[in-house]
Amino acid sequence: MDDFTDVTYQVEDGLAWITINRPERYNSFRARTVDELVLAFKRAWASDEVGVIALTGAGDKAFCTGGDQKQRMETGDYGPSQSGLFEVDSLHRVIRDVPKPVIAAVNGYAIGGGHVLHLLCDLTIAADNATFGQNGPRVGSFDAGFGTGLMARAIGEKRAREIWFLCRKYSAEQALDWGLANKVVPADQLHKEVRAWADEILQLSPTALKVLKQSFNADTEHFAGIGQMAYSSLKLFGETTEAQEGITAFNEKRSPDFSVYRGN
């Protein structure tokens, strides 16, 4: 883990901090970032020193803004990975499967794929300057597995559809009101609050916590299969002119024109 470039990993008194370290790209992830995140979560899983995991982003502007759209525009994909695959599905799985509570420390934008990451975490503590939302339909992308099903379970069908169908941005207080976050704190208190929650969790039986997490997950496990189909569709969709209009418009900082595709 000494050769990580996109992620940092630190353990402090039972709490592992996994930080996406790409602040110059608003902590968006490329394929290498995802590889490193998966490895960091597995390291925390295997460590006897770790009882709680916190996921956050470097700097004070973003938690994570999803896939790196500049990388996607430059190379047509999210760059090289260790396996040759874009392992975001493996990242989703490891966040759910790691038998230890995972806290999302949302310190800014949690948008798109970053919004899905915080949803997958067991708990979300947000800074008062955090911003939540989806962006996929605006850039020719989507997450139709956990990103839709788990969100609807968390906040209800109407609100989940609003988030996806309008691509608006929501404040930390709105996220708290809707059930997307457990608590909102001043930005300079975020790490301290996560530490306090972790210290409470660390007093509890790790086996009991593991079984409880697995029990919570069982009710929504079928979304993994739906997500596999969604990824297959997304790969095909990403090669279309419609999807290309979305990513091109994003990088040219203009509104996309999808009007010609409405009859499809």
Side-chain angles (χ1 to χ4, degrees), residues 150-180:
L150 201 60
M151 188 191 302
R153 289 293 182 93
I155 64 175
E157 285 273 351
K158 294 294 186 180
R159 286 172 172 170
R161 289 171 192 252
E162 176 186 324
I163 287 174
W164 274 106
F165 292 172
L166 277 71
C167 291
R168 291 175 175 172
K169 293 181 174 63
Y170 300 85
S171 68
E173 289 298 334
Q174 182 73 75
L176 180 65
D177 181 59
W178 279 14
L180 283 168

Side-chain angles (χ1 to χ4, degrees), residues 87-106:
E87 300 269 13
V88 70
D89 186 49
S90 298
L91 175 57
H92 290 178
R93 285 248 51 101
V94 75
I95 293 173
R96 280 175 62 86
D97 291 347
V98 61
K100 302 172 183 182
V102 180
I103 302 172
V106 180

